[in-house]
Amino acid sequence: MRGLNSAPPFSPIEPVTDILHGVPVTDPYRWLEDQESPRTLQWLENQTRYARAYLDSIPGRERIRTRIHELLAVETYDSLQKAGNRYFFRKRLPDQEQACIYMREGPQGEDQLLLDPARRSTGPYTALKPFRVSPDGRLLLYEIKEGGERAGTFALFDVKSRTTLPDVLPRGYLRGFAFAPDSRSFYYSHESLGATRPFYRAAYHHVLGAPITDDQEVFCAGEGEKLRLCLISDANRLGFLVYRFLEKTRTDFYLKMFDSSGPPEVILAEAEYIFGPRLIPGRILAITDRDAPNLRIVELVPQENKAPKWIDVVPETAMRITRWVVVGKHIFVSRMRHPRTYVSQFDFSGRKTDELPICDDISVRLIGGSPDDDELLMEGESFTQPISIWRYSEGSGKCLLFARRKVPFASRYYSHTQVAYESSDGTRIPMFLVGREDVLERGAQPIVMTSYGGYGTSMTPQFSVFVAFLMERGCVFALPNIRGGSEFGVQWHKAAKRRNRQTAYDDFLSAAEWLIKTGRTSPGKLAIFGGSNSGLLVGAALTQRPDLFRAVVCMVPMLDMLRYHLFDNAHVWKHEFGTADDPDDFTALRRYSPYHQVRQEMAYPATMMVSGAADRNCNPLHARKMTARLQAANVSDHPIFLDYNTFRGHSPVLPLSERIEALTDRMTFLCDQLELSV
């Protein structure tokens, strides 16, 4: 175990005090919010030197890097879409920096290269992804990203001529897109980063070959930062979804025929519930939580001068719906009841016609299908098996393999078990323990733990190179199913939502206490990690109970919960967290906000903060300010440092070589702190 030979770089304290609801709140590092200031850039340079002085001095780093290379530099497939008999997808060859876009004619066809980002000569940070395929399979809309930015540029590719067309939507956010029935034009809702009116929300019609400046506005939702316009379509109709992110999110839904010149018809207005419609020829289907907290699928039947009639198609059950796809004349629905995924098939009358056989330890995601086809596309993975892509044919009733990621990991030696423990309020929380079979049977072991605890996202078995590498070195992986997810329906989510957020953190801390109390590990052998909302989770755990952990990896997090909503588009998460603008939310947020809970003269565990300048989901100001505050407060000899990358964002699109180096750094840090053999 190595410490740092020098003190961390000096971070000047320049306190700014705000009065929030009569309470003074002091921010000592507000100046670090300015990402482009010379002071911040110099501070980042100093932090990078400090981090590298520690990471590069750890013995065994090259051996770790070699193994990480073996695990990551494998052939991968993702983003599968189908149109007619053509399959479009991303594929990355071993040691290729970025994935390319390919096509197959038929499921057994040859993989034909369509687009290679390396041929753009813009460097290894350029990533491409298929976005939408025209119904005839002739045109492909694809996204171009630089680094981990959220925004992208959108271009059209002609499959027959193998050329990119001049019809390009500039860098920004594409909220909706629909090909016209003849594929000679398209409709779109796009928020351009260079727009002179950045909050004007409208949909436009573009004819292929015409200048973008000639595009005709076909619908306007209004103008406002808290307004969003999305599009959906089928072969004959175009739907407009207008979201207003107010105290409650309100949704309007409009519909028009492609060949109609008149205004769209209002189908729904001021809906204060989840409403996710899909247009099926002759029908409007939608998923909703109206009168159904665990979600149901309904058919909306418009009525003249009256509200539409709602007809149940897939009724609510105790298991919350996670995904749904319309394939042919059937609806496939996935539900999760801890720990299993269930996939059921219904006809449009609501009659259940089949149940797909899914293994207990496999997580299944429905990724595609079409009313014009009979094939369902799915992904499956487990703790020990990497992602595979499958095709399920209604006609044959068989699941057939499309592609498999082959990672050199000896899965046969690993297994998992399930345990349960009591949280601080007495609630029983289930938890997975995963590891080598011989290690799971031993006593105290190094354990690495994560969870999520938000947005109703359930924690199911998934393969992770991060975890696989550590399990190879004798670690046990712990995954508690804390509240904030939907493992046991919507109430499991609501129990840790908004002002109840501390419940998720209590569940997570109780898991750590249980692992220590039962002799499975000790505070000196327990590490936690997480990213995004999970980064907030480990940030809260780190500041509330620093005595429980030896090491923390906190990636692309939100940590200043009193100011998070003031940056980028983070205000859209107010329904999950609340904001400091509301006095009751403020009280709850201030109580757990990790940045505000850092205590002076406290012995904190070794902490690796990870962020990057391109992140516009969880702005990197959180990681910068938290690093400065922890370094100043810490009295232990454990390293606290920032791993920062100019191109890193919230999208996982860094080139392979940089992902290998980044994961090598994280594994080097954890192996050093947990004293794992490398």
Side-chain angles (χ1 to χ4, degrees):
M1 233 181 318
R2 301 178 66 84
L4 280 158
N5 295 325
S6 60
F10 176 66
S11 301
I13 295 175
E14 297 179 3
V16 176
T17 299
D18 300 314
I19 305 298
L20 301 177
H21 309 291
V23 179
V25 179
T26 299
D27 184 347
Y29 300 105
R30 182 75 56 87
W31 64 272
L32 279 170
E33 291 181 355
D34 186 352
Q35 181 163 289
E36 300 304 324
S37 76
R39 296 177 70 202
T40 300
L41 296 175
Q42 183 61 57
W43 182 89
L44 286 168
E45 187 178 321
N46 295 341
Q47 289 290 340
T48 297
R49 281 199 300 268
Y50 179 70
R52 294 260 49 103
Y54 164 63
L55 292 169
D56 293 342
S57 69
I58 298 173
R61 187 181 188 280
E62 282 308 306
R63 290 193 297 277
I64 293 172
R65 187 192 181 282
T66 297
R67 181 58 181 148
I68 295 299
H69 179 272
E70 292 170 351
L71 292 169
L72 286 181
V74 299
E75 186 173 272
T76 65
Y77 289 78
D78 63 59
S79 307
L80 179 63
Q81 297 187 40
K82 185 183 181 187
N85 198 41
R86 289 178 167 177
Y87 297 84
F88 297 83
F89 51 92
R90 282 200 307 189
K91 173 181 173 181
R92 186 178 57 74
L93 301 176
D95 284 316
Q96 199 168 30
E97 288 283 31
Q98 294 282 5
C100 301
I101 297 178
Y102 285 79
M103 180 189 73
R104 280 188 199 174
E105 294 275 7
Q108 306 303 322
E110 177 186 353
D111 289 355
Q112 303 175 44
L113 176 63
L114 300 182
L115 290 156
D116 182 350
R119 294 179 182 174
R120 299 178 65 86
S121 301
T122 50
Y125 295 97
T126 301
L128 308 181
K129 185 177 183 179
F131 193 87
R132 193 69 50 81
V133 183
S134 63
D136 58 9
R138 183 174 63 86
L139 297 174
L140 167 68
L141 181 74
Y142 66 98
E143 183 179 23
I144 307 157
K145 280 184 178 289
E146 298 296 336
E149 65 173 353
R150 285 178 61 208
T153 302
F154 298 84
L156 273 177
F157 183 80
D158 186 299
V159 174
K160 183 177 181 180
S161 65
R162 296 295 202 267
T163 57
T164 293
L165 303 179
D167 310 84
V168 175
L169 295 174
R171 186 165 165 260
Y173 304 103
L174 186 57
R175 302 300 186 189
F177 185 93
F179 282 103
D182 61 4
S183 296
R184 295 180 180 177
S185 63
F186 61 78
Y187 298 81
Y188 65 94
S189 171
H190 179 254
E191 298 171 13
S192 172
L193 292 184
T196 55
R197 297 173 67 182
F199 303 125
Y200 186 73
R201 308 302 187 219
Y204 298 89
H205 180 217
H206 173 80
V207 177
L208 295 186
I212 290 289
T213 52
D214 290 351
D215 292 355
Q216 298 296 307
E217 181 179 303
V218 296
F219 181 84
C220 177
E223 192 163 8
E225 184 179 5
K226 297 184 179 181
L227 197 64
R228 185 168 293 175
L229 172 61
C230 301
L231 307 184
I232 60 172
S233 66
D234 64 7
N236 301 304
R237 298 171 296 174
L238 187 61
F240 305 94
L241 279 161
V242 180
Y243 299 101
R244 295 188 299 284
F245 298 102
L246 307 172
E247 181 55 35
K248 289 185 176 180
T249 299
R250 294 194 173 102
T251 305
D252 300 335
F253 179 49
Y254 302 80
L255 196 61
K256 66 169 288 183
M257 303 297 290
F258 274 115
D259 57 4
S260 170
S261 59
E265 176 187 2
V266 180
I267 304 297
L268 206 63
E270 299 288 325
E272 293 185 355
Y273 41 79
I274 292 172
F275 179 74
R278 294 190 184 165
L279 299 180
I280 308 301
R283 299 176 183 267
I284 304 171
L285 300 179
I287 191 166
T288 183
D289 66 348
R290 178 188 176 189
D291 302 323
N294 281 326
L295 302 177
R296 60 179 172 141
I297 297 171
V298 299
E299 180 175 0
L300 264 68
V301 180
Q303 302 183 95
E304 191 171 352
N305 300 320
K306 294 170 64 177
K309 182 186 296 185
W310 294 61
I311 302 172
D312 260 4
V313 178
V314 179
E316 180 194 25
T317 69
M319 295 185 291
R320 187 172 173 86
I321 295 174
T322 53
R323 300 194 184 202
W324 64 295
V325 176
V326 178
V327 178
K329 300 299 182 183
H330 289 93
I331 304 169
F332 288 86
V333 175
S334 65
R335 292 187 174 101
M336 215 282 294
R337 181 72 175 178
H338 181 76
R340 284 195 59 186
T341 302
Y342 297 84
V343 178
S344 306
Q345 176 181 300
F346 298 83
D347 62 23
F348 288 158
S349 71
R351 182 174 62 93
K352 184 176 176 180
T353 57
D354 201 2
E355 185 82 26
L356 273 62
I358 307 293
C359 296
D360 288 359
D361 61 346
I362 299 292
S363 295
V364 172
R365 289 179 296 278
L366 310 183
I367 60 172
S370 167
D372 303 321
D373 200 10
D374 72 341
E375 195 169 77
L376 172 69
L377 305 177
M378 302 180 290
E379 289 180 341
E381 62 181 321
S382 72
F383 287 125
T384 58
Q385 296 289 342
I387 288 177
S388 297
I389 302 176
W390 297 84
R391 304 161 34 243
Y392 174 78
S393 170
E394 285 189 276
S396 68
K398 294 180 180 179
C399 283
L400 302 173
L401 182 68
F402 182 86
R404 186 193 304 275
R405 185 175 301 184
K406 298 178 181 178
V407 178
F409 176 72
S411 58
R412 64 188 179 277
Y413 298 121
Y414 297 81
S415 64
H416 73 271
T417 186
Q418 285 184 277
V419 297
Y421 63 92
E422 283 193 2
S423 189
S424 57
D425 64 357
T427 301
R428 297 283 288 176
I429 309 295
M431 177 163 58
F432 291 106
L433 297 177
V434 192
R436 282 204 323 256
E437 292 179 350
D438 61 319
V439 173
L440 285 174
E441 297 171 359
R442 295 180 194 163
Q445 298 296 326
I447 289 183
V448 61
M449 181 171 72
T450 193
S451 195
Y452 196 74
Y455 296 98
T457 300
S458 299
M459 292 287 94
T460 62
Q462 296 180 24
F463 185 82
S464 161
V465 169
F466 186 115
V467 170
F469 177 90
L470 293 171
M471 290 196 303
E472 288 180 333
R473 270 129 206 93
C475 260
V476 170
F477 173 51
L479 181 66
N481 293 98
I482 65 178
R483 284 169 284 185
S486 293
E487 285 87 343
F488 298 103
V490 70
Q491 294 306 320
W492 203 250
H493 176 206
K494 287 183 176 179
K497 186 178 179 182
R498 201 161 182 167
R499 295 163 196 163
N500 298 323
R501 202 69 178 187
Q502 182 61 40
T503 300
Y505 310 142
D506 289 342
D507 289 353
F508 191 68
L509 292 170
S510 295
E513 291 173 332
W514 184 86
L515 290 167
I516 294 167
K517 181 180 178 180
T518 57
R520 286 170 169 79
T521 193
S522 65
K525 291 291 184 181
L526 179 57
I528 55 176
F529 73 95
S532 193
N533 179 70
S534 184
L536 168 60
L537 170 69
V538 300
L542 156 71
T543 51
Q544 293 181 24
R545 289 296 306 276
D547 57 304
L548 291 178
F549 310 110
R550 184 65 184 84
V552 178
V553 180
C554 183
M555 300 175 285
V556 293
M558 286 198 311
L559 298 166
D560 182 345
M561 296 307 292
L562 300 186
R563 289 176 59 78
Y564 82 90
H565 62 296
L566 304 178
F567 300 91
D568 306 318
N569 288 314
H571 60 81
V572 302
W573 303 322
K574 68 178 293 184
H575 302 296
E576 185 69 23
F577 299 106
T579 72
D581 297 337
D582 180 288
D584 293 325
D585 289 342
F586 165 72
T587 300
L589 289 165
R590 181 168 176 253
R591 192 174 294 129
Y592 75 76
S593 176
Y595 180 65
H596 298 91
Q597 291 304 315
V598 176
R599 288 163 282 172
Q600 287 300 122
E601 304 297 312
M602 177 62 65
Y604 285 104
T607 302
M608 180 181 198
M609 303 293 299
V610 179
S611 190
D615 196 338
R616 290 297 174 267
N617 276 48
C618 297
N619 193 292
L621 69 88
H622 294 276
R624 294 194 298 264
K625 290 168 61 176
M626 188 69 168
T627 299
R629 197 158 197 176
L630 280 174
Q631 288 176 340
N634 183 42
V635 295
S636 76
D637 61 357
H638 302 147
I640 294 174
F641 61 94
L642 175 65
D643 171 16
Y644 199 87
N645 182 304
T646 302
F647 293 94
R648 182 181 292 131
H650 226 70
S651 301
V653 293
L654 288 179
L656 175 65
S657 58
E658 292 218 6
R659 291 195 293 119
I660 290 171
E661 294 303 321
L663 191 53
T664 296
D665 284 340
R666 291 165 209 173
M667 296 302 99
T668 299
F669 167 67
L670 289 174
C671 286
D672 180 50
Q673 295 301 317
L674 298 178
E675 298 182 301
L676 303 177
S677 172
V678 298

